[in-house]
Amino acid sequence: CGLGLFTRGLNERSYREQEPLFSELYSWYLQDASSRELVKRLVENAFSGKPSDLISREAAKALYHEIPAGSATRLERYAACAFAHFAAYGLMLRPRQEYEFKASSLGTVVHKALEEFARELSEDGVQWKDLDDKVREEYVDRSLEKSFSEYELSLLKDNERNAYMYQRMRRLLLRTVWELQLQLQNGSFSPELIEASANGGRIDRVDALYEPGKVFVKVVDYKTGSTTFNLLSVYYGLQLQLVLYLDAVMDLEKKKHPELEVIPAGIFYYPVKDPLVDADKEEVLSNAEQAIREKLKYSGLALADIDILKKMDRTLISLPVTLTDKGASLGKKSSAASEKEFEELLDYVKKKTEALRQEILEGNAQVLPYRMKKEIPCTYCDFKRACGFDRKISGYEYRDLPELSREEIWREMEEENRK
């Protein structure tokens, strides 16, 4: 009972409020041979502070060698918490792998199936816009079965849970290709399959529109989770991938078509999901279909050009933009940027990635996770049990990222680019 009170006092720092009692307990335990060493360790741990968590430049160089400027996922992890990057890329720690199909594996398989779907269409010379329901379903089934290189198909059908997961993936794929086909049918852009990796990752989808003297490119990243585009996260280095993909795509297009001006039409996350709507509240089927499409809207940044937006999707349902009542300009809530702002964004992200790379090679491995409003990276971090982060211990704090308005973000990026 006394040792529990003593330990609780250390954990809660309440010993300051009951100094005489705490001192008496501490003195007694130090005289007791059976508890002396334990109490010493408890006090030592309680009064220890956060270590510096720095490694030398030489050690960083030996651990990391060179860090490609386009390693988006890696740099995003470092921007979230330097220790998480050190654990993953310095110590090479990995979660234990288990031979089973988990819900977290769903995203990997769906990505592979969508890639396989696009590849088969291309090899067969079939256009997305021309698919009927039956043919689209046949391609989905073949693509899904080809995507289980890491999982035996029998594993997904050996019990009711796994069979449900298989059917869930099938529904997700059917819904996704249905929506993507509608977007293409409602616009003038066409898919361009890019086989190679770009900037440390694989681009899920690139659409292009060729006009006299110009080519407009649109980059899409499929997301099975809840990721949404946030310009502030880009500013802080937490979301770099889409912009780096755009930079890579524009470079490829410039090499392919040096005679054309390459212009970004947009960067988007597409939510791979099968949303439900309340059919009882929908007057006709077309309204239910529209409600589903609203829930599958892109999250991202579009070119602030109404003509190009309508050539991506004349209904604008899939895009993160709205029009004013008269339809002559974009609404205030639209997530859109001018050509000049896209240029600023590309330049800023290049500088940001270089700055992050240099910090890593300086040896920073601090346990210093960010906090932006209520968002922290620790919730789903694989290393949260190893880092020792504890706000009861002196020195452990979050790295608070100030909230900025959209105008402030663009201004800050422009100023940073001028340095």
Side-chain angles (χ1 to χ4, degrees):
C1 181
L3 186 58
L5 180 63
F6 180 81
T7 305
R8 191 160 57 250
L10 286 173
N11 287 337
E12 299 173 358
R13 298 295 193 267
S14 58
Y15 51 81
R16 297 186 184 92
E17 302 165 9
Q18 43 184 338
E19 187 68 35
L21 174 61
F22 184 86
S23 298
E24 188 64 30
L25 281 172
Y26 184 42
S27 176
W28 190 87
Y29 284 123
L30 285 179
Q31 297 175 38
D32 181 22
S34 63
S35 59
R36 183 181 303 127
E37 291 305 316
L38 172 62
V39 167
K40 282 183 177 180
R41 288 200 302 272
L42 288 173
V43 172
E44 182 181 344
N45 289 335
F47 287 92
S48 64
K50 175 190 171 187
S52 64
D53 293 326
L54 295 175
I55 58 178
S56 68
R57 290 185 186 181
E58 292 75 16
K61 183 73 173 178
L63 284 172
Y64 305 129
H65 304 293
E66 292 298 327
I67 303 168
S71 304
T73 302
R74 178 173 181 173
L75 295 174
E76 288 171 353
R77 173 167 274 184
Y78 174 79
C81 178
F83 179 82
H85 171 273
F86 171 67
Y89 296 96
L91 301 180
M92 304 298 290
L93 301 182
R94 296 289 184 271
R96 186 178 65 179
Q97 298 297 310
E98 297 179 1
Y99 184 69
E100 63 174 320
F101 189 84
K102 298 181 179 180
S104 58
S105 306
L106 183 146
T108 301
V109 175
V110 168
H111 270 78
K112 288 183 179 179
L114 286 168
E115 182 181 324
E116 184 64 35
F117 180 90
R119 182 182 295 110
E120 286 209 12
L121 288 185
S122 178
E123 290 174 353
D124 295 345
V126 178
Q127 298 295 317
W128 281 70
K129 297 179 181 180
D130 300 333
L131 290 171
D132 60 33
D133 292 347
K134 183 175 183 297
V135 173
R136 186 172 62 236
E137 190 169 330
E138 289 173 354
Y139 271 101
V140 163
D141 286 334
R142 287 202 300 273
S143 301
L144 188 56
E145 295 217 2
K146 286 183 178 180
S147 301
F148 290 102
S149 59
E150 296 180 14
Y151 312 98
E152 290 185 16
L153 206 55
S154 59
L155 181 66
L156 287 173
K157 298 179 179 179
D158 66 354
N159 60 48
E160 291 184 3
R161 176 185 175 277
N162 288 344
Y164 164 77
M165 290 294 291
Y166 184 87
Q167 290 302 318
R168 181 185 172 196
M169 282 186 288
R170 185 174 184 273
R171 289 197 306 272
L172 281 173
L173 285 166
L174 286 170
R175 176 65 70 194
T176 299
V177 297
W178 168 80
E179 167 61 19
L180 296 178
Q181 183 181 6
L182 277 179
Q183 293 174 16
L184 292 169
Q185 289 174 337
N186 288 330
S188 305
F189 279 70
S190 297
E192 289 202 348
L193 184 64
I194 296 180
E195 295 285 352
S197 297
N199 275 336
R202 192 167 188 84
I203 301 173
D204 287 330
R205 180 172 165 195
V206 177
D207 294 345
L209 171 67
Y210 291 90
E211 293 195 338
K214 299 177 180 179
V215 56
F216 295 87
V217 292
K218 162 189 164 190
V219 175
V220 179
D221 193 36
Y222 301 134
K223 290 296 182 185
T224 52
S226 57
T227 303
T228 56
F229 181 82
N230 184 340
L231 190 61
L232 188 62
S233 293
V234 176
Y235 174 73
Y236 286 123
L238 303 171
Q239 281 187 8
L240 301 171
Q241 195 169 58
L242 274 180
V243 183
L244 290 173
Y245 281 175
L246 176 64
D247 185 54
V249 168
M250 291 181 68
D251 282 345
L252 287 171
E253 289 292 339
K254 288 173 184 176
K255 291 175 183 176
K256 285 168 56 180
H257 305 286
E259 76 283 3
L260 299 179
E261 181 186 3
V262 182
I263 302 173
I267 49 176
F268 305 109
Y269 291 125
Y270 175 79
V272 178
K273 59 184 180 181
D274 185 23
L276 299 175
V277 296
D278 190 346
D280 294 337
K281 294 181 180 179
E282 306 296 344
E283 296 179 3
V284 293
L285 181 60
S286 61
N287 285 347
E289 184 177 287
Q290 180 170 331
I292 290 173
R293 295 199 66 204
E294 287 283 356
K295 293 186 177 184
L296 294 173
K297 187 185 292 289
Y298 283 132
S299 171
L301 191 66
L303 181 65
D305 182 321
I306 294 177
D307 179 55
I308 297 301
L309 291 172
K310 289 188 174 180
K311 287 179 179 178
M312 275 194 278
D313 182 354
R314 64 173 177 269
T315 69
L316 299 183
I317 290 175
S318 65
L319 302 174
V321 299
T322 59
L323 298 181
T324 57
D325 291 339
K326 295 182 180 180
S329 60
L330 294 176
K332 291 182 179 179
K333 293 185 178 181
S334 295
S335 181
S338 65
E339 283 187 51
K340 183 179 182 302
E341 287 173 327
F342 265 108
E343 290 176 9
E344 293 286 357
L345 182 62
L346 286 163
D347 289 343
Y348 175 79
V349 166
K350 288 176 185 176
K351 289 194 70 171
K352 186 68 176 178
T353 56
E354 182 58 29
L356 293 173
R357 289 175 66 238
Q358 291 305 316
E359 284 185 29
I360 292 171
L361 294 175
E362 286 290 324
N364 183 18
Q366 291 189 77
V367 180
L368 191 59
Y370 77 89
R371 179 170 58 186
M372 191 164 62
K373 290 186 176 179
K374 295 182 179 180
E375 179 183 309
I376 58 173
C378 309
T379 308
Y380 302 107
C381 181
D382 293 328
F383 312 111
K384 61 185 177 183
R385 295 184 182 276
C387 71
F389 183 86
D390 186 346
R391 296 190 69 193
K392 296 188 186 77
I393 298 175
S394 175
Y396 283 104
E397 295 292 342
Y398 289 110
R399 174 168 42 96
D400 286 308
L401 304 179
E403 184 75 11
L404 300 173
S405 69
R406 188 181 184 82
E407 293 74 19
E408 288 173 327
I409 296 171
W410 286 117
R411 186 166 60 250
E412 290 290 331
M413 285 195 292
E414 185 176 358
E415 290 177 2
E416 188 65 30
N417 287 339
R418 301 300 172 264
K419 292 180 181 178

